[in-house]
Amino acid sequence: MPHIHEKIDYVSNIYIVHDGSVLLRKHDKHGLWFPPGGHVELDEDPPHAAVREAKEEVGMDVELIGSEPRSFLEGEKEILAPRFMDRHRINESHEHISFTFFARSVTREFAQSEGREVSDHIRWFTKEELDDPQYGVTEMINYYAKAALDALA
């Protein structure tokens, strides 16, 4: 989805864990490893965006991890809180506020959707591999990925 606002957009990221590994994909434009994720659309909550992005980017159905949101009066409900939130610069005039979620997958199988940004590099990382300099996983992604692995061990 294109940027909704010229200065700041909201995005959701999802760290998917299965059997002691976390799934990351290398962003072709930036050449960096990221979890699946993308812009929160105008008609969705951040956790719904994270689940949608997992399906669109890596073809996976996932189970979000966190406290079950409660419903109150009609039209009032909690939404699942992210594990982390951050704000980061995309370019000189644009920033993202990112909601980071953790999820489990029952499979290691992934598939990219046709017509989406296709990445030649999608892989499952163990904790040790996250630290391997050959991959160049950034400090923030490394920290969040290890937190997801610890939380879902």
Side-chain angles (χ1 to χ4, degrees):
M1 174 173 198
H3 295 287
I4 295 172
H5 191 275
E6 66 185 54
K7 295 195 186 254
I8 297 176
D9 279 327
Y10 293 101
V11 297
S12 285
N13 299 307
I14 186 164
Y15 286 83
I16 303 167
V17 173
H18 177 79
D19 195 27
S21 297
V22 63
L23 187 70
L24 299 177
R25 56 189 298 273
K26 197 169 200 177
H27 195 288
D28 291 331
K29 181 178 172 185
H30 302 293
L32 299 171
W33 291 98
F34 292 106
H39 289 90
V40 177
E41 296 182 4
L42 292 174
D43 63 345
E44 65 188 351
D45 296 328
H48 294 111
V51 170
R52 176 184 52 75
E53 290 289 348
K55 187 67 170 176
E56 289 178 2
E57 290 189 0
V58 293
M60 298 183 86
D61 294 312
V62 297
E63 173 196 359
L64 284 177
I65 304 303
S67 299
E68 187 67 30
R70 297 169 295 196
S71 293
F72 298 99
L73 298 175
E74 187 175 332
E76 296 179 343
K77 65 177 181 172
E78 290 182 329
I79 58 174
L80 182 71
R83 292 298 180 112
F84 296 101
M85 289 178 64
D86 66 79
R87 183 172 175 165
H88 56 274
R89 185 161 295 289
I90 300 301
N91 59 42
E92 288 298 315
S93 62
H94 192 75
E95 294 180 275
H96 283 170
I97 294 176
S98 180
F99 302 98
T100 297
F101 295 92
F102 295 169
R104 277 196 187 95
S105 171
V106 296
T107 181
R108 291 178 77 88
E109 300 296 317
F110 56 81
Q112 297 183 83
S113 299
E114 301 261 339
R116 293 280 300 172
E117 299 172 14
V118 176
S119 175
D120 292 334
H121 305 285
I122 299 176
R123 72 182 312 274
W124 292 95
F125 283 84
T126 62
K127 273 188 177 181
E128 295 75 28
E129 291 169 325
L130 289 166
D131 291 329
D132 190 329
Q134 74 172 318
Y135 297 112
V137 176
T138 65
E139 183 179 2
M140 184 171 72
I141 300 301
N142 188 313
Y143 179 81
Y144 290 171
K146 286 180 179 176
L149 288 168
D150 287 343
L152 302 179

